[in-house]
Amino acid sequence: MSSGQAIVLPRWIDVGLLPLWNLLVALAVAGGVVLAIGQSPAQALSVLLEGALGSSRGIGYTLYYATTFIFTGLAVAVAYHGGLFNIGGEGQATLGGIGLGLLALALGPRLPAAVLLPLLVVAAALFGMAWALVPAALQAWRGSHVVITTIMFNFLAASLNVYLLVNWLRPKGSMSVESVNFADSARMPGLHEIAAKFGYELPSSPLNLSLLLALLACLFVYWFLWKSGAGYALRAVGSAPRAAHYAGIKPRMQVLVAMGLSGALAGLVAVNEISGVQGKLTLDFVAGAGFTGIAVALMGRNHPVGIILASLLFGVLYQGGVEVSFELPGFSREMVVTAQGLIVLFAGAMASVSAPTFARLYALIATKKKEARHG
């Protein structure tokens, strides 16, 4: 196979077998690192899985983390299909939190939850969208690269959040850089609270109805990208902008659509973190989820189903990693971050290394089957 020839694999290999192989290689390398620091890879993996999946509470925390990663992974994927690399999920999620927080503080005491919660979802999405549209417009009309501008806007969003909390939203006399607590009507119900109303007892965890919102977002993104005319236009520009322009599709408008929808999805992180868990606007509620979303989208092949699976994996790593750092002496949180980095490396860079091998094996098997049929 020549180096210039495109590698074409069946979809079940490209989105199923190849990512699984890369994950197994990453875990093997991570196990080698664990062994090198004097720990047992089998014990570390056992504690990690037990902490993430071995109890109802652990599963609740795992799904809570996965919910946030679904939002940021979808945000990266939508921009990617439009030919853009949005690494501004941190800032867009932060603005979503600001929008949600301001509305919750203003209307929380006045509106019931049935009215207020949908408004908070819309506010988070609109503020995240507005923050993403500025870099989009700068690229579409001024040629500023969206990677550079979204990086800058991450810092601007963090600074704006600090300014609002310190100077306007922090209660007088409080040393904590956070807003007052939201009214109960602004709190997204936890799943253990909902289960209790129906007579079921679940351990308390941060998992809340935002999980349902994340799954609905996956359905919407799938429909939009692969079933709607607008999604086709967006993917056409992302794949071949000159051909799309020749066909009558306006590339500038698609840049706005891709980044606007991407920012809205990132803004929904605030629904899970602020309305669902914190119950107030805090300083650093995003906590790197925007950057984790890049890895989630990469590993999930920018498809909603893959993003759900990758989000669950990273949810297991986050929750299980906490348990590992508690249970195993000498195993720090940084080791979990190292494992995550290895997974990103092998899911991304190693995909292009492994793909030719899988292509040759597939071609060999196909040739053998063809010879067997004709022999």
PDB file of all heavy atoms in Angstrom, residues 24 62 67 78 81 93 124 142 176 232 300 346 366:
ATOM      1  N   LEU A  24      -6.835  -0.685  24.330  1.00  0.00           N
ATOM      2  CA  LEU A  24      -6.121  -1.785  24.971  1.00  0.00           C
ATOM      3  C   LEU A  24      -4.612  -1.527  24.999  1.00  0.00           C
ATOM      4  O   LEU A  24      -3.943  -1.797  25.998  1.00  0.00           O
ATOM      5  CB  LEU A  24      -6.414  -3.092  24.224  1.00  0.00           C
ATOM      6  CG  LEU A  24      -7.853  -3.616  24.342  1.00  0.00           C
ATOM      7  CD1 LEU A  24      -8.039  -4.850  23.462  1.00  0.00           C
ATOM      8  CD2 LEU A  24      -8.199  -3.926  25.790  1.00  0.00           C
ATOM      9  N   THR A  62     -19.924   8.230  38.296  1.00  0.00           N
ATOM     10  CA  THR A  62     -19.405   7.980  36.951  1.00  0.00           C
ATOM     11  C   THR A  62     -20.309   8.594  35.891  1.00  0.00           C
ATOM     12  O   THR A  62     -19.847   9.251  34.950  1.00  0.00           O
ATOM     13  CB  THR A  62     -19.251   6.467  36.715  1.00  0.00           C
ATOM     14  OG1 THR A  62     -18.292   5.934  37.635  1.00  0.00           O
ATOM     15  CG2 THR A  62     -18.794   6.183  35.290  1.00  0.00           C
ATOM     16  N   THR A  67     -21.896  12.785  31.972  1.00  0.00           N
ATOM     17  CA  THR A  67     -22.863  13.775  31.470  1.00  0.00           C
ATOM     18  C   THR A  67     -22.159  15.033  30.993  1.00  0.00           C
ATOM     19  O   THR A  67     -22.428  15.545  29.895  1.00  0.00           O
ATOM     20  CB  THR A  67     -23.883  14.120  32.567  1.00  0.00           C
ATOM     21  OG1 THR A  67     -24.581  12.934  32.950  1.00  0.00           O
ATOM     22  CG2 THR A  67     -24.876  15.156  32.075  1.00  0.00           C
ATOM     23  N   VAL A  78     -19.398  18.713  16.703  1.00  0.00           N
ATOM     24  CA  VAL A  78     -20.166  19.543  15.769  1.00  0.00           C
ATOM     25  C   VAL A  78     -19.245  20.515  15.038  1.00  0.00           C
ATOM     26  O   VAL A  78     -19.332  20.681  13.814  1.00  0.00           O
ATOM     27  CB  VAL A  78     -21.284  20.294  16.515  1.00  0.00           C
ATOM     28  CG1 VAL A  78     -21.907  21.357  15.617  1.00  0.00           C
ATOM     29  CG2 VAL A  78     -22.357  19.316  16.982  1.00  0.00           C
ATOM     30  N   HIS A  81     -17.140  18.648  12.378  1.00  0.00           N
ATOM     31  CA  HIS A  81     -17.858  18.328  11.140  1.00  0.00           C
ATOM     32  C   HIS A  81     -18.028  19.561  10.259  1.00  0.00           C
ATOM     33  O   HIS A  81     -18.256  19.430   9.052  1.00  0.00           O
ATOM     34  CB  HIS A  81     -19.210  17.709  11.456  1.00  0.00           C
ATOM     35  CG  HIS A  81     -19.129  16.279  11.893  1.00  0.00           C
ATOM     36  ND1 HIS A  81     -18.792  15.258  11.036  1.00  0.00           N
ATOM     37  CD2 HIS A  81     -19.323  15.696  13.100  1.00  0.00           C
ATOM     38  CE1 HIS A  81     -18.783  14.105  11.695  1.00  0.00           C
ATOM     39  NE2 HIS A  81     -19.109  14.336  12.946  1.00  0.00           N
ATOM     40  N   ALA A  93     -18.507  27.007  28.246  1.00  0.00           N
ATOM     41  CA  ALA A  93     -19.187  26.441  29.412  1.00  0.00           C
ATOM     42  C   ALA A  93     -19.231  27.450  30.557  1.00  0.00           C
ATOM     43  O   ALA A  93     -20.233  27.546  31.279  1.00  0.00           O
ATOM     44  CB  ALA A  93     -18.490  25.164  29.860  1.00  0.00           C
ATOM     45  N   ALA A 124     -28.271  28.934  29.507  1.00  0.00           N
ATOM     46  CA  ALA A 124     -26.931  28.353  29.430  1.00  0.00           C
ATOM     47  C   ALA A 124     -26.521  28.146  27.981  1.00  0.00           C
ATOM     48  O   ALA A 124     -25.386  28.450  27.581  1.00  0.00           O
ATOM     49  CB  ALA A 124     -26.894  27.029  30.193  1.00  0.00           C
ATOM     50  N   ARG A 142     -12.915  38.019   9.138  1.00  0.00           N
ATOM     51  CA  ARG A 142     -11.611  38.664   9.280  1.00  0.00           C
ATOM     52  C   ARG A 142     -10.443  37.709   9.098  1.00  0.00           C
ATOM     53  O   ARG A 142      -9.291  38.138   9.070  1.00  0.00           O
ATOM     54  CB  ARG A 142     -11.491  39.319  10.666  1.00  0.00           C
ATOM     55  CG  ARG A 142     -12.589  40.327  10.986  1.00  0.00           C
ATOM     56  CD  ARG A 142     -12.620  41.475   9.996  1.00  0.00           C
ATOM     57  NE  ARG A 142     -11.371  42.223   9.992  1.00  0.00           N
ATOM     58  CZ  ARG A 142     -11.072  43.193   9.149  1.00  0.00           C
ATOM     59  NH1 ARG A 142     -11.930  43.507   8.184  1.00  0.00           N
ATOM     60  NH2 ARG A 142      -9.930  43.821   9.218  1.00  0.00           N
ATOM     61  N   SER A 176     -15.543  33.661  50.460  1.00  0.00           N
ATOM     62  CA  SER A 176     -15.620  32.651  49.395  1.00  0.00           C
ATOM     63  C   SER A 176     -16.008  33.316  48.075  1.00  0.00           C
ATOM     64  O   SER A 176     -16.960  34.099  48.024  1.00  0.00           O
ATOM     65  CB  SER A 176     -16.650  31.578  49.744  1.00  0.00           C
ATOM     66  OG  SER A 176     -16.292  30.917  50.940  1.00  0.00           O
ATOM     67  N   TYR A 232     -26.326  18.597   6.541  1.00  0.00           N
ATOM     68  CA  TYR A 232     -25.614  18.208   5.318  1.00  0.00           C
ATOM     69  C   TYR A 232     -24.776  19.371   4.793  1.00  0.00           C
ATOM     70  O   TYR A 232     -23.621  19.193   4.385  1.00  0.00           O
ATOM     71  CB  TYR A 232     -26.611  17.756   4.256  1.00  0.00           C
ATOM     72  CG  TYR A 232     -25.964  17.479   2.918  1.00  0.00           C
ATOM     73  CD1 TYR A 232     -25.327  16.261   2.681  1.00  0.00           C
ATOM     74  CD2 TYR A 232     -25.971  18.440   1.911  1.00  0.00           C
ATOM     75  CE1 TYR A 232     -24.721  16.005   1.463  1.00  0.00           C
ATOM     76  CE2 TYR A 232     -25.359  18.191   0.685  1.00  0.00           C
ATOM     77  CZ  TYR A 232     -24.737  16.971   0.471  1.00  0.00           C
ATOM     78  OH  TYR A 232     -24.125  16.730  -0.734  1.00  0.00           O
ATOM     79  N   GLY A 300     -14.351   9.076  20.312  1.00  0.00           N
ATOM     80  CA  GLY A 300     -15.670   8.690  19.845  1.00  0.00           C
ATOM     81  C   GLY A 300     -15.877   8.894  18.365  1.00  0.00           C
ATOM     82  O   GLY A 300     -17.018   8.757  17.883  1.00  0.00           O
ATOM     83  N   PHE A 346      -3.063   7.436  22.244  1.00  0.00           N
ATOM     84  CA  PHE A 346      -3.266   6.238  21.438  1.00  0.00           C
ATOM     85  C   PHE A 346      -4.577   6.276  20.673  1.00  0.00           C
ATOM     86  O   PHE A 346      -4.704   5.641  19.631  1.00  0.00           O
ATOM     87  CB  PHE A 346      -3.195   4.998  22.317  1.00  0.00           C
ATOM     88  CG  PHE A 346      -1.791   4.640  22.722  1.00  0.00           C
ATOM     89  CD1 PHE A 346      -1.259   5.111  23.912  1.00  0.00           C
ATOM     90  CD2 PHE A 346      -1.000   3.872  21.903  1.00  0.00           C
ATOM     91  CE1 PHE A 346       0.036   4.803  24.284  1.00  0.00           C
ATOM     92  CE2 PHE A 346       0.298   3.544  22.261  1.00  0.00           C
ATOM     93  CZ  PHE A 346       0.825   4.015  23.455  1.00  0.00           C
ATOM     94  N   ALA A 366      -9.942 -10.679   3.239  1.00  0.00           N
ATOM     95  CA  ALA A 366     -10.879 -10.596   2.113  1.00  0.00           C
ATOM     96  C   ALA A 366     -10.373 -11.387   0.923  1.00  0.00           C
ATOM     97  O   ALA A 366     -11.146 -12.069   0.225  1.00  0.00           O
ATOM     98  CB  ALA A 366     -11.087  -9.130   1.733  1.00  0.00           C
TER      99      ALA A 366
END
